Amino acid sequence: MYTVPEGKIIKVGVLGATGTVGQRFIALLESHPYFAVHALGASARSAGKTYALAANWKQTTPIPSAVRDIEVKPCAPEHFKECAVVFSGLDADVAGDIEGAFRTAELAVFSNAKSYRRDPNVPLVVPLVNPFHLNIIPQQRLLHSPPLKKGFIVTNANCSTTGVVIPLAALERAFGPVESCIITTLQAISGAGYPGVPALDIFDNVVPYISGEEEKMEWETLKILGELADPAGDGTLAFDMHAHTPLRVSASCTRVPVVEGHTETVSVRFARRPAPSPQQVREALAAYTPVVQSVACPSAPRHAIWVHEEPDRPQPRLDRAFQQGAGVSVGRVRQCQVLDIKFVVLSNNVNIGAATSSIINAEMAILKGLVAV
Ligand SMILES: NC(=O)C1=CN([C@@H]2O[C@H](COP(=O)(O)OP(=O)(O)OC[C@H]3O[C@@H](n4cnc5c(N)ncnc54)[C@H](OP(=O)(O)O)[C@@H]3O)[C@@H](O)[C@H]2O)C=CC1
Ligand SMILES: N[C@@H](CC(=O)OP(=O)(O)O)C(=O)O
């Protein structure tokens, strides 16, 4: 493993820097031990302005002084060529073409958009779950036309998927495969970006539909919890989509009048009989230590999963800022009369659901020697 020498600065760029996720990147990177923001990109509406003028800043901390006067550039690779890492918070409508062009220009892209999540050579990485999926990057480079030396794309997951796969990974590590999982989400309005859902739609209301969200959750969970395998034994890697035991996931997604923090109610059935007890599940969740913690990624949370004993937790307003939103909070672990166990999970959709995941993924890729720094 590569170790970033003390005092070394790694230049990074942020695409979609003015948006909800982009602003969170900027806020988090301000105190990062070795990443320094070097270039910012957004649409033609913002390009040419200083960041302070272009961004309608909505974070609870002030705009970092180091970025206030940086000129926002169009999202073209030539403006980012000095960046070892490029984070993307681009709108999905444009992310596919722009991120693809950045990869072709030999840049390392860590994306929040859905555009490449289903690509068989692009890892879909929730850093507290499957950082070993980064191992497909050399193959991704090789299969690119022309083959690449440095460029690649890593995606992170849909924010609701992220919240649920962390406890599911902990349960699978402790008790073996989960067979079925039924999820209902209560998603915050910040998940829809800015300005997001109109006030007249969400105030005093619950909207029981988020376009494409249920399908993403049901599919992404299988890629993330699956293995990166070599099915033909010829060195060609492929994601096995949890093939060792079929995993059935059913998601129902709703939008609720919460600003930040996605709540999800989750019921699971294990393959193993007898199933673990609620107390065994609580202990396994609390004990879960992801690899990114043991290799000291600076943005990894100290507790991947915080297990609440109080009967009325987790709650978005109380728990979304815990550990800067880098872990998840679980509570109400109890017996399920239909499947085996049910619980509630709360994750910060803009932090571990988006920007924090990309940052830890980049830290891990650097430690693995996959990024030219
Ligand atoms: N919000 C969340 O909780 C999560 C979001 N995501 C994903 O992250 C991405 C960003 O989401 P979010 O921050 O919420 O979205 P926003 O709508 O808040 O921000 C979108 C960003 O994309 C930029 N942009 C839009 N059009 C163009 C263009 N033609 N060329 C260059 N830049 C453009 C905008 O720049 P400008 O200001 O100049 O218009 C802005 O910086 C999306 O793909 C989303 O699906 C993933 C997980 C969670
Ligand atoms: N759709 C999610 C956020 C998001 O943008 O997800 P994705 O990156 O999968 O499109 C939400 O509204 O909360």
Side-chain angles (χ1 to χ4, degrees):
M1 283 251 178
Y2 172 80
T3 310
V4 180
E6 186 133 358
K8 184 175 173 71
I9 293 300
I10 296 174
K11 291 179 182 171
V12 305
V14 181
L15 302 175
T18 48
T20 303
V21 173
Q23 291 189 16
R24 190 58 53 91
F25 274 124
I26 303 287
L28 289 168
L29 290 167
E30 182 183 22
S31 54
H32 197 277
Y34 50 79
F35 289 146
V37 174
H38 181 73
L40 301 174
S43 77
R45 295 178 287 279
S46 306
K49 298 179 184 165
T50 64
Y51 185 69
L53 276 181
N56 183 5
W57 187 254
K58 296 292 175 188
Q59 306 304 301
T60 53
T61 49
I63 301 187
S65 52
V67 301
R68 284 193 71 85
D69 298 326
I70 295 182
E71 183 185 323
V72 177
K73 299 288 186 188
C75 292
E78 66 259 31
H79 303 298
F80 292 78
K81 53 181 191 275
E82 289 175 25
C83 299
V85 165
V86 176
F87 294 113
S88 170
L90 281 172
D91 191 295
D93 287 347
V94 297
D97 288 346
I98 294 173
E99 292 170 2
F102 273 61
R103 173 173 62 183
T104 302
E106 296 283 13
L107 290 159
V109 179
F110 293 83
S111 170
N112 281 277
K114 63 183 175 192
S115 316
Y116 288 93
R117 290 183 195 150
R118 289 185 182 236
D119 186 307
N121 290 299
V122 171
L124 172 55
V125 181
V126 173
L128 308 185
V129 175
N130 62 329
F132 55 94
H133 282 191
L134 293 169
N135 295 347
I136 202 161
I137 287 173
Q139 179 170 307
Q140 184 191 139
R141 284 176 173 151
L142 204 62
L143 294 180
H144 186 272
S145 180
L148 298 170
K149 292 191 174 65
K150 296 193 295 184
F152 62 80
I153 295 173
V154 170
T155 58
N156 39 283
N158 169 274
C159 38
S160 297
T161 308
T162 299
V164 79
V165 294
I166 296 168
L168 290 182
L171 296 179
E172 292 211 317
R173 185 187 285 179
F175 308 115
V178 168
E179 217 171 59
S180 322
C181 180
I182 299 179
I183 309 158
T184 300
T185 70
L186 299 88
Q187 295 181 220
I189 49 180
S190 56
Y194 188 83
V197 190
L200 279 176
D201 286 344
I202 198 65
F203 183 71
D204 185 31
N205 208 10
V206 171
V207 181
Y209 175 66
I210 302 173
S211 174
E213 197 80 351
E214 295 173 356
E215 295 78 3
K216 277 184 276 185
M217 290 188 70
E218 291 168 3
W219 190 89
E220 291 179 13
T221 299
L222 305 185
K223 183 169 179 180
I224 295 161
L225 293 179
E227 297 298 324
L228 180 57
D230 175 3
D234 63 357
T236 308
L237 299 175
F239 298 104
D240 80 350
M241 303 300 290
H242 208 272
H244 52 291
T245 315
L247 166 58
R248 294 182 308 160
V249 180
S250 172
S252 303
C253 295
T254 75
R255 185 79 69 197
V256 297
V258 164
V259 173
E260 194 164 311
H262 287 357
T263 305
E264 304 178 57
T265 68
V266 186
S267 302
V268 294
R269 179 182 162 87
F270 295 89
R272 125 179 175 170
R273 301 282 109 198
S277 68
Q279 184 54 26
Q280 287 174 312
V281 165
R282 270 182 221 111
E283 288 167 10
L285 293 172
Y288 181 62
T289 309
V291 171
V292 292
Q293 260 172 282
S294 36
V295 298
C297 288
S299 303
R302 282 186 54 219
H303 305 277
I305 303 173
W306 183 261
V307 181
H308 287 273
E309 295 298 337
E310 307 90 319
D312 61 350
R313 299 286 280 273
Q315 296 180 18
R317 213 175 55 209
L318 301 180
D319 297 311
R320 64 190 167 208
F322 181 57
Q323 307 182 93
Q324 273 200 299
V328 302
S329 299
V330 169
R332 303 214 63 222
V333 180
R334 62 214 193 277
Q335 205 86 50
C336 171
Q337 301 304 332
V338 178
L339 303 182
D340 292 329
I341 293 285
K342 53 185 175 178
F343 58 88
V344 179
V345 59
L346 182 279
S347 60
N348 187 310
N349 53 297
V350 195
N351 283 63
I352 195 61
T356 307
S357 274
S358 284
I359 293 172
I360 307 174
N361 283 343
E363 292 168 356
M364 190 65 189
I366 287 169
L367 296 182
K368 280 174 157 290
L370 294 163
V371 179
V373 290

